[in-house]
Amino acid sequence: MKKILAISGGVDSMCLLHMMKDDPDVVVAHFNHGTRPSSDDDEAFVKSYAKQYGVPFYSKKVCLGADVSEADARAARYNFLNELKEKLGGKIYTAHHLNDLFESIAINFVRGTGWRGLTPFNNNDNKHPLLRFTKTEIYRYAVANEIVFRQDPTNNESGYLRNRLRPAIAALIV
């Protein structure tokens, strides 16, 4: 069964790729949202590491534009990942980690979620092998293993609720 790694080029997904690169069932899937000028560079970066590691690479580019909502971008990305899952058979692996889990719970809580919103990564059959690690631990792994990654500049924009909550969540998780 194929293990379809959703790899953006960021530290989390590049650590996931590094951890799983020797598994013969692994393939890399990169979705280029076309939302910023550096999107094509991210795609080329991920492709080069998949080639370096000898891992099959699949990508799709859709020009969603700079003003696309997070929800629409996520839906487009998962449409691609699910299409690939149907084509290849297997499971989707994402680089979600412990901080992501708490951020998602906080966002859902702020939006008035019901109980299902408090378990954000349990509503699908995707795999999350980094879920037991904090962001700090992932950075430590990256440094220890000299993993190169790209930083998405939108992670620093305060227009996204997740980005506004991120520092408070990080302070709570040591």
Side-chain angles (χ1 to χ4, degrees):
M1 181 178 297
K2 292 295 180 190
K3 296 173 182 170
I4 303 162
L5 306 187
I7 306 297
S8 66
V11 65
D12 310 331
S13 67
M14 292 304 290
C15 285
L16 176 64
L17 175 57
H18 184 267
M19 290 173 186
M20 297 186 71
K21 66 181 172 25
D22 295 324
D23 186 323
D25 293 323
V26 161
V27 300
V28 168
H30 177 81
F31 187 75
N32 182 340
H33 296 87
T35 57
R36 53 190 163 73
S38 59
S39 294
D40 291 340
D41 296 335
D42 293 345
E43 182 176 353
F45 173 79
V46 172
K47 184 177 183 178
S48 73
Y49 272 87
K51 183 177 181 181
Q52 177 183 327
Y53 293 149
V55 176
F57 176 78
Y58 297 87
S59 66
K60 182 175 185 177
K61 180 177 180 177
V62 179
C63 294
L64 298 174
D67 295 329
V68 68
S69 72
E70 283 184 273
D72 289 344
R74 184 181 315 105
R77 180 173 59 253
Y78 276 99
N79 282 342
F80 163 65
L81 292 171
N82 284 314
E83 287 170 7
L84 199 53
K85 177 181 164 182
E86 290 298 316
K87 177 182 174 182
L88 301 176
K91 297 271 186 188
I92 298 167
Y93 285 66
T94 68
H96 291 112
H97 49 78
L98 194 58
N99 292 55
D100 290 326
L101 175 64
F102 283 106
E103 289 169 9
S104 295
I105 290 170
I107 288 168
N108 291 344
F109 187 73
V110 166
R111 292 180 176 157
T113 187
W115 67 269
R116 289 185 186 203
L118 300 178
T119 58
F121 298 133
N122 287 337
N123 60 356
N124 58 46
D125 65 351
N126 297 341
K127 301 292 184 183
H128 312 285
L130 303 184
L131 208 50
R132 67 181 189 266
F133 299 106
T134 66
K135 185 73 166 196
T136 299
E137 290 170 323
I138 290 170
Y139 276 120
R140 286 183 186 140
Y141 181 90
V143 169
N145 291 281
E146 299 179 352
I147 296 172
V148 179
F149 58 90
R150 293 181 58 83
Q151 187 67 31
D152 181 345
T154 63
N155 286 340
N156 300 319
E157 294 177 5
S158 62
Y160 299 103
L161 177 57
R162 180 174 301 277
N163 292 350
R164 292 192 305 272
L165 291 174
R166 187 166 283 150
I169 298 295
L172 295 172
I173 303 173
V174 180

